[in-house]
Amino acid sequence: MAQSSESQVFFFPYGGKRSFLGGLRTLFTTIAHVVAPGDAVAVKVHMGEYGCSTYLRPALVRRACDLIKAVGGKPFVTDTTTLYAARRFTATQYLATAAFNGFTRESLEAPVIIADGEEGYDGEWVSIPKQAYDCPLDRTKVAKEILNADSMIVLTHLKGHELSGFGGSIKNVAMGCVTKESKAGQHRANRAELDPSKCTGCGECVEACPFKALSIVDEKAVRDDEKCTGCNHCLSLCPEQAFYLPPGAKEKFQVYLAHSAAGVLSQFPDKVAFINFVQDITPDCDCAPPSGLPVVSDIGILASMDVVAVDKASLDLIAKAKPTEKYRHMVSSDILGGINGTDSLIQIRAAQELGLGQMAYQLSELK
Ligand code: SF4
Ligand code: SF4
């Protein structure tokens, strides 16, 4: 975490003569001190939903693993199961999807471990040191294998997100390092509501709900709030659009994200660093293929010890870039938030308020 008035963020821009592999090697030297010889190092990566084409390339992750090994660390590539029922709902499903997407022990020369176990509940509750903005979250359940690591390198594909405006390092840690209970705890902040007047009682949502929280009563869908995890699978599938997000849901969700990130990061004092890959900057996340056309051209790679600064610097670089044809009409300092109907900076401000880092940073360009 930052000690001075500005945090250091190191930036390797794309478009020069050096390849991204060389750039990553140079950037890694700025954060390599978080890895001590012999450390078991969690390399946190979203390995992409089935059908996604813009997740982080396995070659980048392989390079990161090689660099960690070169300083004596023992990397393992890791992520957690999803709350929604697609092709990463269990560890077995996730490993199959990861292999399909190119992430295997052979391709990475490092183990691929789903950190929250087969069903997604293996972990340990940790306290969230501080609360802000009236957020009730005071603990989060960190996935077991991540909690057991000595240090963590968070590799993040920065892109838009339909519920939080954008997904950067804060979100990668907050949602991606915890078990299903804590994913649900965060998603309850933006749980869809049901408008019975639109419901035709077709039953599609009842069939699809992965947590059996819906039933049909008197020809209308009814939800059991105790069983509902807030995964919002029903939100997107109802043919009548009977589910809707309540006002303020996206903003509240971002505050919850910051709190969960605070809990996870409290377990890695001075032992975690963040690398954002600002490329393939799609409006939607890697969970939702197709994720859409890029909003701006590829920008580069950023590295920092400060999760707040690295996300803020990434958004600032996007704000300075020229939007692609489809988004040219959007004049905004927060284009991803604008596309997704929220203010993306809320999660960054909340994370700063919680002491995770600072929005003031110094950007050092490495060539
Ligand atoms: S899918 Fe929509 S219309 Fe069908 S039962 Fe569920 S809420 Fe009602
Ligand atoms: S009711 Fe909807 S939000 Fe709740 S668990 Fe089922 S699919 Fe997910």
Side-chain angles (χ1 to χ4, degrees):
M1 285 186 212
Q3 301 296 319
S4 64
S5 58
E6 288 185 337
S7 288
Q8 289 288 322
V9 179
F10 298 94
F11 173 43
F12 173 76
Y14 289 160
K17 288 191 175 156
R18 289 183 71 203
S19 81
F20 56 73
L21 293 176
L24 185 54
R25 189 194 307 121
T26 307
L27 279 176
F28 187 75
T29 62
T30 68
I31 49 122
H33 57 279
V34 304
V35 177
D39 272 7
V41 185
V43 181
K44 172 64 184 74
V45 184
H46 185 320
M47 290 176 270
E49 190 48 84
Y50 184 81
C52 175
S53 59
T54 48
Y55 55 86
L56 268 194
R57 289 154 179 72
L60 285 164
V61 180
R62 163 69 184 273
R63 170 54 59 100
C65 290
D66 290 347
L67 293 165
I68 290 165
K69 285 186 214 168
V71 295
K74 297 178 193 157
F76 65 95
V77 174
T78 192
D79 197 7
T80 55
T81 60
T82 57
L83 190 58
Y84 60 88
R87 303 272 194 117
R88 297 181 301 137
F89 190 62
T90 64
T92 300
Q93 289 172 339
Y94 198 148
L95 287 172
T97 298
F100 185 82
N101 286 347
F103 297 92
T104 63
R105 177 187 280 270
E106 290 71 30
S107 68
L108 301 168
E109 292 202 348
V112 180
I113 297 174
I114 304 308
D116 55 346
E118 177 59 20
E119 303 297 330
Y121 294 96
D122 293 354
E124 219 171 281
W125 289 102
V126 304
S127 295
I128 296 169
K130 182 181 170 187
Q131 278 68 46
Y133 304 106
D134 296 324
C135 180
L137 283 192
D138 59 4
R139 60 181 193 155
T140 197
K141 192 171 175 187
V142 183
K144 184 175 153 205
E145 300 296 342
I146 289 175
L147 196 60
N148 287 342
D150 299 305
S151 47
M152 178 158 67
I153 302 292
V154 180
L155 304 181
T156 300
H157 167 220
L158 195 132
K159 68 280 167 190
H161 191 280
E162 41 285 84
L163 297 177
S164 57
F166 83 103
S169 282
I170 294 170
K171 183 166 185 303
N172 196 0
V173 169
M175 196 60 76
C177 291
V178 301
T179 64
K180 277 188 169 62
E181 293 103 317
S182 280
K183 288 186 174 83
Q186 294 171 79
H187 272 295
R188 284 204 180 94
N190 66 356
R191 179 160 63 181
E193 297 297 337
L194 175 62
D195 178 354
S197 69
K198 289 188 175 173
C199 175
T200 60
C202 73
E204 276 190 43
C205 59
V206 177
E207 286 295 309
C209 173
F211 299 95
K212 305 203 180 318
L214 291 163
S215 57
I216 298 291
V217 177
D218 295 336
E219 300 183 354
K220 298 281 182 191
V222 174
R223 184 172 72 195
D224 180 336
D225 282 351
E226 287 297 310
K227 289 185 181 169
C228 173
T229 63
C231 73
N232 281 346
H233 192 49
C234 50
L235 175 67
S236 50
L237 67 79
C238 172
E240 307 300 328
Q241 280 89 49
F243 291 95
Y244 64 95
L245 285 181
K250 295 184 180 187
E251 291 70 29
K252 200 168 153 192
F253 178 56
Q254 291 187 65
V255 170
Y256 279 45
L257 283 177
H259 281 74
S260 180
V264 174
L265 295 178
S266 70
Q267 302 303 301
F268 293 93
D270 299 320
K271 293 293 280 180
V272 59
F274 310 92
I275 302 180
N276 280 1
F277 295 83
V278 189
Q279 60 189 56
D280 301 311
I281 307 152
T282 50
D284 289 338
C285 70
D286 297 344
C287 300
S291 308
L293 294 170
V295 173
V296 297
S297 298
D298 291 353
I299 290 174
I301 315 173
L302 292 84
S304 182
M305 297 288 291
D306 183 329
V307 70
V308 177
V310 78
D311 276 1
K312 178 69 165 62
S314 300
L315 290 191
D316 288 346
L317 287 168
I318 291 171
K320 281 188 205 147
K322 190 172 165 189
T324 51
E325 187 64 35
K326 183 174 177 188
Y327 300 100
R328 202 140 289 165
H329 62 286
M330 295 193 70
V331 181
S332 170
S333 58
D334 177 20
I335 191 166
L336 294 173
I339 292 167
N340 287 302
T342 188
D343 171 2
S344 294
L345 286 181
I346 289 172
Q347 59 184 287
I348 293 180
R349 286 192 212 104
Q352 177 176 257
E353 180 70 25
L354 294 172
L356 297 189
Q358 55 191 358
M359 292 167 68
Y361 62 88
Q362 185 175 37
L363 193 69
S364 303
E365 196 167 311
L366 307 174
K367 295 205 169 139

